[in-house]
Amino acid sequence: MKLLIIGGTGFLGRHLTSLALDWGHEVTLFNRGSRQHPDWRELVQLTGDRNKSLNALHGEGPGWDLVIDTCCYRPEQAASLSAALLGRCERLIFISTISVYRDFALRGMDESAPLHEIRAGEMPTDYGPLKVLCEAAYQARWGERLCILRPGVLGGPFDPTGRLTWWVKRVQQGGPWLLPGEGQDRLQYLDVRDCAEFVLRAAEQQLGGIFNLLKPGIALADWVDRIAARLAPATAPQPEWVPWPALLAAGVEPWQSYPALLPNAQPEYAGYGRISAEAAIVQGLNFRPLEETVADLAQWLAENRQAVVAGMTAEQELALQQGLRVGTLS
């Protein structure tokens, strides 16, 4: 296929471009040209800033079989790209996010779950609602020729968010570790390479519709145990389970302090970790083991010591330990 990838040099786009070339597709990238991968083979690089000019995409006649937009964050970006590709592309895949959902209160929620509601004429500033508007803009212009993919947290080499990275580095550190709840809160993620594979399957199968892209959830206690078993740090982590209310009272922030983790006991988060990706699984979404993901991530981290790491810092964890030792552990 002749593929046009908007972005293509960051995280998902980086893996997607490499895989598309491996699978024999003809790839054109459109981005600002600030990054390049030294191992990429022959591809066409079109340079431009989607917020300023799409002139590099203009031309006469068909240009590509399919465009994959990995980095649309505002509805006007969707509208302008659609206009620039009029008559030049047959289909479009938009990489959206599960953040479009209004909340995670429902267990087993699928693609029909309620989205953020946006009043007419209102322009939100938050990530999730903006992605809702991007989806709507693309749906209005592409209709049945559109496939919307909604990944959850992506993890793996070259991750710029540092979320799964934090868990790997904290397990490698070992030692006493305050962790929330009783270990039953659930996490959901997807290896970025599994995501890239499904994007290309959707392209080749000309899939339309909407698909959540996540692995089935895993309990926090199992998550920590499996990462530790695979990485085998010199000093094993020693979890100490602390009730969420005590942690929240001490300043712990859901999702931020322990990346990608939410307290399932709170009604608005009861379904997080249990979001359904059955529709994508039926269409060929595959999952590599957690152990493979963390091993590859650990190797990448060893080679990239300046990688971004999200989550609680060592200083914040020490302050939390000292504060809770005073008598707020229960």
Side-chain angles (χ1 to χ4, degrees):
M1 300 179 66
K2 296 178 67 176
L3 302 177
L4 170 64
I5 300 177
I6 310 300
T9 58
F11 182 35
L12 172 59
R14 183 188 187 102
H15 291 283
L16 179 60
T17 300
S18 294
L19 189 62
L21 293 170
D22 288 344
W23 287 14
H25 295 296
E26 182 179 329
V27 177
T28 298
L29 298 184
F30 175 82
N31 55 51
R32 290 171 294 182
S34 58
R35 288 180 291 198
Q36 182 59 282
H37 189 298
D39 296 332
W40 283 346
R41 283 77 66 191
E42 293 184 6
L43 52 73
V44 177
Q45 173 72 59
L46 301 178
T47 303
D49 186 332
R50 69 185 302 164
N51 294 317
K52 298 178 180 178
S53 174
L54 297 174
N55 289 340
L57 300 179
H58 294 164
E60 297 182 359
W64 301 274
D65 298 309
L66 180 138
V67 58
I68 303 170
D69 191 350
T70 69
C71 56
C72 181
Y73 299 108
R74 297 188 62 85
E76 59 267 27
Q77 294 176 329
S80 61
L81 182 65
S82 297
L85 294 176
L86 185 64
R88 303 212 69 208
C89 191
E90 294 297 321
R91 306 181 65 84
L92 185 141
I93 293 177
F94 173 45
I95 310 300
S96 186
T97 169
I98 61 168
S99 295
V100 297
Y101 295 119
R102 184 180 64 199
D103 56 40
F104 299 116
L106 302 175
R107 295 192 177 200
M109 56 190 285
D110 60 15
E111 293 79 1
S112 66
L115 307 182
H116 292 286
E117 296 182 359
I118 303 166
R119 298 174 183 174
E122 177 186 356
M123 181 56 67
T125 57
D126 291 342
Y127 175 69
L130 281 171
K131 284 285 193 173
V132 171
L133 292 182
C134 293
E135 289 188 6
Y138 274 138
Q139 286 169 328
R141 290 162 175 81
W142 294 82
E144 294 181 354
R145 298 181 297 137
L146 172 68
C147 181
I148 295 175
L149 304 180
R150 294 172 177 165
V153 171
L154 296 178
F158 303 101
D159 179 5
T161 71
R163 289 178 293 204
L164 184 52
T165 302
W166 182 83
W167 292 96
V168 169
K169 291 185 72 68
R170 185 58 187 83
V171 166
Q172 289 175 325
Q173 176 185 329
W177 188 6
L178 299 181
L179 285 169
E182 298 177 351
Q184 297 308 305
D185 293 291
R186 300 177 72 81
L187 299 96
Q188 269 186 293
Y189 79 103
L190 182 65
D191 189 296
V192 65
R193 296 162 293 184
D194 295 333
C195 184
E197 287 183 9
F198 187 82
V199 174
L200 286 184
R201 292 182 190 279
E204 294 179 344
Q205 297 172 24
Q206 297 189 1
L207 290 183
I210 303 173
F211 299 90
N212 293 334
L213 301 183
L214 310 97
K215 284 186 71 171
I218 176 174
L220 175 58
D222 293 339
W223 169 265
V224 172
D225 286 347
R226 288 177 60 182
I227 295 177
R230 180 62 183 87
L231 298 180
T235 303
Q238 303 162 23
E240 182 175 353
W241 302 101
V242 182
W244 268 107
L247 292 175
L248 296 175
V252 165
E253 299 180 72
W255 192 268
Q256 302 298 330
S257 300
Y258 299 93
L261 184 67
L262 294 170
N264 292 153
Q266 295 187 16
E268 66 270 32
Y269 303 136
Y272 182 73
R274 296 174 172 84
I275 301 169
S276 172
E278 187 62 29
I281 293 171
V282 169
Q283 297 294 341
L285 176 61
N286 294 314
F287 308 115
R288 65 194 67 205
L290 171 62
E291 289 79 2
E292 179 179 342
T293 300
V294 298
D296 292 345
L297 182 52
Q299 179 178 347
W300 176 73
L301 287 171
E303 299 166 354
N304 296 269
R305 298 187 179 277
Q306 301 304 313
V308 172
V309 181
M312 190 183 307
T313 66
E315 293 76 15
Q316 290 171 333
E317 183 175 355
L318 178 60
L320 179 65
Q321 291 173 340
Q322 294 173 340
L324 292 177
R325 293 283 182 260
V326 174
T328 58
L329 282 175
S330 59

